[in-house]
């Protein structure tokens, strides 16, 4: 280690490193460091490092799953990747106990997911200039995304996107530009802690306001959240039939 590799996985496998702190896959600025197109793949105990920088209109990946089911990514570290993990058009994903550091690259993201029935649990996201987690509806809307007990610090957005019938619970978001922005429906946003916005001054006379929780769709349940030190704690934007409670 480091291993200067671009890896393609097209069959079921458990890919397990010796120690995530010392087993390093260096992508040498490649567009995708590890590409998976098979079901039942597990990846753990690696540092994924040095992918190609992306931008506002294009993403590159540390690990990319395409049309995959029953995958797991656990106990890894991601540094200098435009998007740490991307997942599209599959189902039954588990992303657990990973560390995502997005500094240096513009519009960096920890996770970009469009995979139904996915659990994102107990990960740490920091210094992502895009989002810690982006739930996307492109190319197909996902359902049943569970985002639970993750930590977000010093990102532009902690969580952004939308999926139907989802759960955002017991996450800790501190010192991000904005906390949670959600466009999904029939979602429970429960027991999250959202503290300290960073304000952006884009003009001497204009202060851009970001919210602790910004809700942009209908039929959601927001309850028992703690939002502190935001100009606007909870914002409803073209949203109807939502429940907000203690």
């Amino acid at each position: 280690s480091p291993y200067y590799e671009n890896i393609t996985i097209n069959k079921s496998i458990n890919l397990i490193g010796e120690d995530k702190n010392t087993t390093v896959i260096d992508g040498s600025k490649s567009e995708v460091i590890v590409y998976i197109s098979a079901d039942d793949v597990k990846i753990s105990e690696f540092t994924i490092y040095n992918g190609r920088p992306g931008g506002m209109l294009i993403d590159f990946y540390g690990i990319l799953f395409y049309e995959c089911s029953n995958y797991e990514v656990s106990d890894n570290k991601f540094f200098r990747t435009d998007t740490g993990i991307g997942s599209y058009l599959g189902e039954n994903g588990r992303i657990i106990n990973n560390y995502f550091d997005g500094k240096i690259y513009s519009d960096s993201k920890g996770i970009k997911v469009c995979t139904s029935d996915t659990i994102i649990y107990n990960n740490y996201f920091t210094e992502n200039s895009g989002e810690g987690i982006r739930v996307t509806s492109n190319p197909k809307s996902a359902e049943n995304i569970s985002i639970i007990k993750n930590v977000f610090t010093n990102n532009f957005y902690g969580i952004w996107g939308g999926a139907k019938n989802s759960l955002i619970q017991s996450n800790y978001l501190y010192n991000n530009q904005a906390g949670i922005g959600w466009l999904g429906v029939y979602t429970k946003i429960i027991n999250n802690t959202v503290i300290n916005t960073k304000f952006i001054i884009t003009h001497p006379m204009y202060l851009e306001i970001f919210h602790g929780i910004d809700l942009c769709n209908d039929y959601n349940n927001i309850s028992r959240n703690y939002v502190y030190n935001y100009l606007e704690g909870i914002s409803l934007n073209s949203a109807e039939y939502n429940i907000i409670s203690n």
Side-chain angles (χ1 to χ4, degrees):
S1 175
Y3 302 101
Y4 297 94
E5 301 280 355
N6 303 118
I7 299 170
T8 297
I9 298 173
N10 55 17
K11 63 180 181 179
S12 300
I13 191 173
N14 289 346
L15 187 64
I16 303 174
E18 182 177 354
D19 185 328
K20 64 185 175 184
N21 297 304
T22 58
T23 309
V24 179
I25 301 175
D26 188 324
S28 301
K29 296 291 194 297
S30 59
E31 295 182 1
V32 179
I33 300 174
V34 182
Y35 177 79
I36 300 102
S37 59
D39 297 338
D40 302 301
V41 172
K42 180 178 180 180
I43 301 175
S44 63
E45 292 293 341
F46 289 96
T47 290
I48 309 295
Y49 171 78
N50 198 22
R52 180 175 174 178
M56 292 292 292
L57 300 177
I58 190 167
D59 297 312
F60 302 117
Y61 301 92
I63 297 175
L64 175 60
F65 292 91
Y66 191 75
E67 295 186 331
C68 303
S69 297
N70 303 317
Y71 68 84
E72 181 175 311
V73 183
S74 60
D75 298 295
N76 301 282
K77 292 183 174 182
F78 295 82
F79 296 95
R80 292 194 178 187
T81 55
D82 173 59
T83 301
I85 298 173
S87 179
Y88 299 91
L89 297 177
E91 60 184 2
N92 296 324
R94 295 173 300 280
I95 302 173
I96 302 170
N97 296 336
N98 301 284
Y99 180 91
F100 299 89
D101 186 329
K103 62 175 169 280
I104 297 180
Y105 289 170
S106 63
D107 198 42
S108 59
K109 293 164 284 292
I111 296 170
K112 187 175 181 180
V113 62
C114 183
T115 303
S116 293
D117 302 304
T118 294
I119 297 172
I120 303 172
Y121 176 82
N122 201 40
N123 301 281
Y124 189 96
F125 303 86
T126 188
E127 301 288 347
N128 290 283
S129 54
E131 302 88 15
I133 297 173
R134 180 185 290 183
V135 180
T136 178
S137 58
N138 183 19
K140 180 182 177 181
S141 297
E143 297 187 14
N144 302 318
I145 306 290
S146 296
I147 302 172
I148 303 171
K149 290 189 176 180
N150 301 281
V151 176
F152 304 82
T153 65
N154 297 307
N155 305 284
F156 180 76
Y157 240 109
I159 301 167
W160 171 257
K164 185 179 179 180
N165 295 326
S166 293
L167 174 66
I168 302 173
Q169 182 173 351
S170 301
N171 299 283
Y172 182 80
L173 302 95
Y174 176 77
N175 215 33
N176 302 284
Q177 204 77 51
I180 300 169
W182 196 248
L183 290 77
V185 297
Y186 299 107
T187 291
K188 294 180 180 179
I189 301 175
I190 302 172
N191 285 335
N192 300 283
T193 299
V194 188
I195 301 175
N196 282 4
T197 185
K198 295 178 179 178
F199 303 124
I200 294 180
I201 299 176
T202 55
H203 184 275
M205 298 299 293
Y206 178 65
L207 177 66
E208 189 166 352
I209 298 175
F210 292 94
H211 313 98
I213 299 174
D214 188 11
L215 196 62
C216 305
N217 218 321
D218 308 329
Y219 300 104
N220 297 288
N221 187 336
I222 304 175
S223 63
R224 301 191 300 277
N225 298 283
Y226 177 75
V227 182
Y228 176 76
N229 202 22
Y230 278 81
L231 285 180
E232 294 185 0
I234 298 175
S235 172
L236 300 179
N237 183 12
S238 300
E240 298 180 320
Y241 309 110
N242 296 284
I243 297 173
I244 301 175
S245 66
N246 289 329

